[in-house]
Amino acid sequence: MFTGTKIKAPFFEIGPKAYLYGSDVVDLALAADAAAQKYNVDVIFTAPYVSIEAVARATSHIHVFAPHMDPIKPGRGVADILPESLLAAGATGVLLNHNEKPLSLADLKHIIARADELGLATLACADSLAEAKAVACLAPNIIAAEPSELIGTGQVSDMAYVLESTRLIKEVDERIMVLQAAGISSGKDVFRVIRAGAEGTGSSSGIALAADRAAMVDEMVGAVRQAWDEYIKNS
Amino acid sequence: MFTGTKIKAPFFEIGPKAYLYGSDVVDLALAADAAAQKYNVDVIFTAPYVSIEAVARATSHIHVFAPHMDPIKPGRGVADILPESLLAAGATGVLLNHNEKPLSLADLKHIIARADELGLATLACADSLAEAKAVACLAPNIIAAEPSELIGTGQVSDMAYVLESTRLIKEVDERIMVLQAAGISSGKDVFRVIRAGAEGTGSSSGIALAADRAAMVDEMVGAVRQAWDEYIKNS
Amino acid sequence: MFTGTKIKAPFFEIGPKAYLYGSDVVDLALAADAAAQKYNVDVIFTAPYVSIEAVARATSHIHVFAPHMDPIKPGRGVADILPESLLAAGATGVLLNHNEKPLSLADLKHIIARADELGLATLACADSLAEAKAVACLAPNIIAAEPSELIGTGQVSDMAYVLESTRLIKEVDERIMVLQAAGISSGKDVFRVIRAGAEGTGSSSGIALAADRAAMVDEMVGAVRQAWDEYIKNS
Amino acid sequence: MFTGTKIKAPFFEIGPKAYLYGSDVVDLALAADAAAQKYNVDVIFTAPYVSIEAVARATSHIHVFAPHMDPIKPGRGVADILPESLLAAGATGVLLNHNEKPLSLADLKHIIARADELGLATLACADSLAEAKAVACLAPNIIAAEPSELIGTGQVSDMAYVLESTRLIKEVDERIMVLQAAGISSGKDVFRVIRAGAEGTGSSSGIALAADRAAMVDEMVGAVRQAWDEYIKNS
């Protein structure tokens, strides 16, 4: 685990995936940057590779993550993602093992090792309780515990899942932070999941497909702060 | 085939693969830009995804290519390469089916169709005579006919291979330009392969690992011009 | 191309895919064997790997094919399909590049080369006209020209597609036989596609999901013979 | 975890990979069968798919395993390995996540679930201590803890690795049996690794490439029994 990351609970992850591109990605990052500052919430922004540098240059409060990287060192690999290149572009972390980019255990382990070596934070996804525990054994900074059946459905993980996955992960390594994210499509969803005990949450299509993306980012990041302050902070 | 590409023979392709990253990629692109202007040679620069925008912004004479793209439309695909995003970043073409990123025939066909639709030039690789002919059936703008056994070895395709692969490709579609590239590590190699009848050539490790990369680019691009003017232009 | 194959037009391919297993596969093969003899039609039976030996042992008139093989020689590859092992199990050919098992151009070429070397017939799939032509450049014995959109839909390739794909393939290499197969679900479908000019056709789910599989095989293989004798034989 | 498996310590796994095919595989299985009976050792024989049925038919004392299976149910999947088909062919278990066939965490989890449902034992590979612990969270019957750097080298895992990996795995789930296998090439290697505390071990190239394979199987399986009786049984 890279112990130098500045990300702390409560946090919020935004990923435009391939829904957006070009200036729309940068505009969304600017909205995220503003909300991060306004609400004092750590915001992770997972940018498409080609937009990482532009997003990093345009913002100063968000944590810019890459959506994947390969377990390689400088050399061959014409279309591979070199970890060093992400750092040079301004990324400070990397998303791994998303269900749209599944990794073998061996690769996941090697990539986390490379990230630790270079000083990149790692956010690894797990689609079930058993996987969440398994991923915890590899010591990423954050685990996104998202039952894959819920992704994109508008259904939120229930409180029992939030509590149980958090417990299993912390039991393996209590330093790991837990993100609960499937199906977040409004500030209310965010509020509920933070109140249920998540240290962070996030949204992809819920923001990318919103009529007013900047307003939705503000609503969601604001809800993180509100739920945290009301229910978690002093508990 | 995207018929609007401005690339014409003689041309030269430079790909730093994952050998270089960050400012080294941009510096190499600047050297390529200077050589393209100085020798009036079309130079294709295949940049890592994260460097495409920086390279496109810094240069004005080279053709910036991506090293791959996925056959998707805007939507899901967290670590996929959206064709529209390449265009937005300043790319004007895409390298496909490199032996370090092999594609199925079906994907190669769909990606070329997407590139044609968006106005991106396509440079598709083929590792043998039979593959060169097969790829020609899919109508990319350029085919790189590189016997994969030679890549990175310092051995150049011989004249017989150059002539035969060019003949086979043009027989299928005479609009396709042919790049002969395996094993180019000096201006002399470039000279020989252009003199042998290639419309273009290129180098990856031969440049990325050179002691003075900018000087090597100048030497190679200069050799393209010299061989072309002496042997091909008026023939 | 392996020139020793005994398969000749008209022929019919049956593939239970993963719909059936165990004795159901052998029973289907026995029905295919009986129909092949009864109608004097070359029947290719693409058996799951684990059933190849049992199918080959139980039958004497059909051509037993594997659904794929890997481009390897004896050695490592714990879950790979060694070409030599297929021959030893009684297979006489191999299906390649099915849209459920797409291959890179380079692999397809190497696998066809291995099949030629060992004396295994090759049946390669192509999902569009451009792909059919491209695959023809690699010289398999048979090309299955199936627009992938139609597979499993019950819609048959129309006559224009049959004629055009056959023409394109024969133009590249007239020795290649052409199988037209998407969407065959009855003897009538078989009749139409053979009458339209296909040298062979086939069915997978149309047989595997039929209420009486043996009767469906008899109906379809009988239709091959009837259409061939009425429309093609003496033309 | 499938709780009905009859495999118990001490056990030995033999996998001819793609080194052998046809009657050589069956002959090796017969030697394994004889040694299993002679020494009363549980022997797992991981047969290539095409040989599973022949091996199962020819033997009566060994546990026949497949080298992989896919997380599918009966239906499409022309070259996929249907779990039900392995059972029908006589397999009683399946090897998973070998470093020559790496699986994503999600697939590994789904395949173990399918195996549990059907009553197939699972032997999952892990290439490092962290992976061994992670795989243990998915509850296979056996974990092969093989540092991948050693596979095929003739170097045996040292006692510290044996003890530490066993401890980590049992800590997660004490029902899981541990196989320590990298680099086993003689009866002495087997003796040492069982004496060091492994519940089982195994060999692939060490047997497949031996001058007298049957003799090597006898030597290795005999060494399992001897080391177990001398050092472990009454401890």
Side-chain angles (χ1 to χ4, degrees):
Chain A
M1 184 182 293
F2 166 54
T3 54
T5 181
K6 294 176 183 164
I7 303 169
K8 60 184 185 314
F11 57 87
F12 189 76
E13 192 257 353
I14 300 172
K17 292 187 176 173
Y19 289 103
L20 307 180
Y21 58 91
S23 58
D24 281 350
V25 173
V26 177
D27 288 347
L28 182 60
L30 288 169
D33 206 53
Q37 186 175 24
K38 178 176 173 186
Y39 298 109
N40 189 26
V41 166
D42 274 289
V43 174
I44 294 167
F45 190 89
T46 306
Y49 308 123
V50 292
S51 296
I52 288 172
E53 194 171 286
V55 164
R57 209 173 44 237
T59 60
S60 49
H61 299 282
I62 57 178
H63 306 274
V64 183
F65 273 44
H68 168 73
M69 69 186 201
D70 290 295
I72 60 167
K73 299 214 167 179
R76 286 191 173 197
V78 78
D80 290 345
I81 306 301
L82 176 69
E84 281 83 350
S85 75
L86 300 179
L87 211 62
T92 58
V94 61
L95 178 73
L96 295 170
N97 200 43
H98 191 281
N99 77 326
E100 293 166 9
K101 184 71 177 180
L103 292 172
S104 74
L105 252 178
D107 276 351
L108 184 53
K109 179 181 165 287
H110 288 132
I111 295 171
I112 290 175
R114 287 243 62 208
D116 293 351
E117 182 182 290
L118 292 172
L120 288 165
T122 47
L123 163 47
C125 300
D127 281 355
S128 64
L129 294 174
E131 280 171 82
K133 195 176 165 188
V135 170
C137 300
L138 305 180
N141 292 94
I142 307 172
I143 290 177
E146 323 188 5
S148 56
E149 305 78 27
L150 301 186
I151 293 178
T153 60
Q155 286 183 60
V156 189
S157 299
D158 67 10
M159 191 179 288
Y161 188 88
V162 169
L163 294 176
E164 180 66 1
S165 55
T166 301
R167 190 185 67 76
L168 285 172
I169 290 166
K170 300 279 185 184
E171 209 173 77
V172 174
D173 189 335
E174 60 177 17
R175 301 168 303 167
I176 299 172
M177 293 182 285
V178 184
L179 184 159
Q180 304 279 357
I184 300 289
S185 55
S186 70
K188 278 186 190 166
D189 292 338
V190 169
F191 193 91
R192 268 198 298 264
V193 83
I194 294 292
R195 189 180 58 187
E199 294 172 290
T201 185
S203 180
S204 180
S205 58
I207 288 172
L209 302 178
D212 184 336
R213 291 188 289 266
M216 183 58 87
V217 166
D218 184 84
E219 174 185 325
M220 288 184 172
V221 177
V224 169
R225 172 52 57 201
Q226 195 193 347
W228 189 264
D229 287 352
E230 290 183 19
Y231 290 90
I232 310 295
K233 204 179 178 181
N234 304 309
S235 66
Chain B
M1 183 182 293
F2 166 53
T3 55
T5 181
K6 293 175 182 163
I7 302 168
K8 59 185 187 312
F11 57 87
F12 189 77
E13 193 258 351
I14 299 172
K17 294 187 176 174
Y19 289 104
L20 307 180
Y21 58 91
S23 58
D24 282 350
V25 173
V26 177
D27 288 347
L28 183 60
L30 288 169
D33 206 53
Q37 185 175 26
K38 177 176 173 187
Y39 298 110
N40 189 26
V41 165
D42 275 288
V43 174
I44 294 168
F45 189 89
T46 306
Y49 307 123
V50 292
S51 296
I52 289 173
E53 196 171 284
V55 164
R57 209 174 45 237
T59 59
S60 50
H61 300 283
I62 58 178
H63 305 274
V64 183
F65 273 44
H68 168 72
M69 70 187 199
D70 290 295
I72 59 166
K73 299 213 167 180
R76 285 191 173 198
V78 78
D80 290 345
I81 306 301
L82 177 70
E84 281 83 351
S85 75
L86 300 179
L87 211 61
T92 58
V94 61
L95 178 71
L96 296 169
N97 199 43
H98 192 281
N99 77 326
E100 293 166 10
K101 184 71 177 177
L103 293 171
S104 74
L105 250 180
D107 276 352
L108 184 53
K109 180 181 165 288
H110 289 132
I111 296 171
I112 290 175
R114 288 242 62 208
D116 293 351
E117 185 182 290
L118 292 172
L120 288 164
T122 47
L123 163 47
C125 300
D127 281 354
S128 64
L129 294 174
E131 281 171 82
K133 196 176 165 187
V135 170
C137 299
L138 305 179
N141 292 93
I142 307 173
I143 290 177
E146 322 188 5
S148 56
E149 305 78 28
L150 302 186
I151 293 177
T153 60
Q155 287 183 59
V156 190
S157 300
D158 67 8
M159 190 179 287
Y161 188 88
V162 169
L163 294 176
E164 181 64 2
S165 55
T166 302
R167 189 185 67 75
L168 285 172
I169 290 166
K170 300 280 185 183
E171 209 174 76
V172 174
D173 189 335
E174 62 177 13
R175 300 170 304 169
I176 298 172
M177 293 182 285
V178 183
L179 184 159
Q180 304 279 355
I184 300 289
S185 55
S186 70
K188 277 186 191 166
D189 291 337
V190 169
F191 194 92
R192 269 198 298 265
V193 82
I194 294 291
R195 189 180 60 188
E199 294 172 291
T201 185
S203 181
S204 180
S205 58
I207 289 172
L209 302 179
D212 183 337
R213 292 188 290 265
M216 183 59 86
V217 165
D218 184 84
E219 175 185 324
M220 288 184 173
V221 177
V224 170
R225 172 52 59 203
Q226 194 192 349
W228 188 263
D229 288 351
E230 289 184 18
Y231 291 89
I232 311 294
K233 202 179 180 180
N234 304 306
S235 66
Chain C
M1 184 182 292
F2 166 54
T3 55
T5 181
K6 293 176 181 163
I7 302 168
K8 60 185 186 310
F11 56 87
F12 189 77
E13 192 258 354
I14 300 171
K17 292 186 177 174
Y19 288 104
L20 308 179
Y21 58 91
S23 58
D24 282 349
V25 173
V26 176
D27 288 346
L28 183 60
L30 288 169
D33 206 53
Q37 185 175 25
K38 177 176 172 188
Y39 298 110
N40 189 27
V41 165
D42 275 289
V43 174
I44 294 167
F45 189 89
T46 306
Y49 307 122
V50 291
S51 295
I52 288 173
E53 194 170 286
V55 165
R57 209 173 45 236
T59 59
S60 49
H61 300 283
I62 58 177
H63 305 274
V64 184
F65 274 43
H68 168 72
M69 70 187 201
D70 290 295
I72 59 166
K73 300 215 167 178
R76 286 190 172 198
V78 78
D80 290 345
I81 306 301
L82 177 69
E84 281 82 351
S85 75
L86 300 179
L87 211 62
T92 58
V94 62
L95 178 71
L96 296 169
N97 200 42
H98 191 282
N99 76 327
E100 293 166 9
K101 184 71 176 178
L103 293 171
S104 73
L105 251 179
D107 276 351
L108 183 54
K109 180 181 165 285
H110 288 133
I111 296 171
I112 291 175
R114 287 242 63 206
D116 293 351
E117 185 182 290
L118 292 171
L120 288 164
T122 47
L123 162 46
C125 300
D127 281 354
S128 65
L129 295 174
E131 280 172 82
K133 196 176 165 189
V135 171
C137 299
L138 305 179
N141 291 96
I142 307 173
I143 290 177
E146 323 188 5
S148 56
E149 305 79 28
L150 301 186
I151 293 177
T153 61
Q155 288 183 58
V156 189
S157 298
D158 68 10
M159 190 179 287
Y161 188 88
V162 169
L163 294 176
E164 181 63 1
S165 56
T166 302
R167 189 185 67 75
L168 284 172
I169 290 166
K170 300 280 186 183
E171 210 174 76
V172 174
D173 189 335
E174 61 177 15
R175 300 169 305 168
I176 299 172
M177 293 183 285
V178 183
L179 183 159
Q180 303 279 355
I184 300 289
S185 55
S186 70
K188 277 186 190 166
D189 291 338
V190 169
F191 194 90
R192 270 200 298 266
V193 81
I194 294 292
R195 189 179 59 187
E199 293 172 292
T201 185
S203 181
S204 180
S205 58
I207 288 172
L209 302 179
D212 183 337
R213 291 187 290 265
M216 183 58 85
V217 166
D218 184 84
E219 175 185 323
M220 287 184 173
V221 177
V224 169
R225 172 53 58 204
Q226 194 191 348
W228 188 263
D229 287 353
E230 289 184 19
Y231 290 89
I232 309 294
K233 201 179 179 180
N234 304 307
S235 65
Chain D
M1 183 183 293
F2 167 54
T3 55
T5 181
K6 294 176 182 162
I7 302 169
K8 60 185 186 313
F11 57 86
F12 189 77
E13 192 257 354
I14 300 171
K17 292 188 178 175
Y19 288 104
L20 307 179
Y21 57 91
S23 58
D24 281 350
V25 173
V26 177
D27 288 347
L28 183 60
L30 288 169
D33 206 52
Q37 185 175 26
K38 178 176 173 187
Y39 298 109
N40 189 26
V41 166
D42 275 288
V43 174
I44 294 168
F45 189 89
T46 306
Y49 308 123
V50 292
S51 296
I52 288 173
E53 194 171 288
V55 164
R57 208 173 45 237
T59 60
S60 48
H61 300 283
I62 57 178
H63 305 274
V64 183
F65 273 44
H68 168 72
M69 71 186 200
D70 290 294
I72 59 166
K73 300 213 167 181
R76 285 190 173 197
V78 78
D80 290 346
I81 306 301
L82 177 70
E84 282 83 349
S85 75
L86 299 179
L87 211 62
T92 58
V94 62
L95 177 72
L96 295 170
N97 200 42
H98 191 282
N99 77 328
E100 293 166 10
K101 184 72 176 178
L103 292 172
S104 75
L105 251 180
D107 276 352
L108 184 54
K109 180 181 165 287
H110 289 132
I111 295 171
I112 290 175
R114 287 243 62 208
D116 292 351
E117 182 183 291
L118 293 172
L120 288 164
T122 47
L123 163 46
C125 301
D127 281 354
S128 65
L129 295 174
E131 281 171 83
K133 196 176 164 190
V135 170
C137 300
L138 305 179
N141 292 93
I142 308 172
I143 290 177
E146 323 189 4
S148 56
E149 306 78 28
L150 302 187
I151 293 177
T153 60
Q155 285 184 59
V156 189
S157 299
D158 67 10
M159 189 178 288
Y161 189 88
V162 169
L163 294 176
E164 180 64 1
S165 55
T166 301
R167 190 185 66 77
L168 285 172
I169 291 166
K170 300 279 184 184
E171 208 173 76
V172 174
D173 189 337
E174 62 177 15
R175 301 169 303 168
I176 298 173
M177 292 182 285
V178 183
L179 184 158
Q180 303 279 357
I184 300 289
S185 55
S186 70
K188 278 186 189 164
D189 291 337
V190 169
F191 193 92
R192 268 198 299 264
V193 82
I194 294 292
R195 190 181 57 188
E199 294 172 290
T201 185
S203 181
S204 180
S205 58
I207 288 172
L209 302 179
D212 183 337
R213 290 187 289 265
M216 183 59 84
V217 166
D218 184 84
E219 174 184 325
M220 288 184 173
V221 177
V224 170
R225 172 52 57 203
Q226 195 193 347
W228 188 264
D229 288 353
E230 290 183 18
Y231 290 89
I232 310 294
K233 204 179 178 179
N234 305 309
S235 65

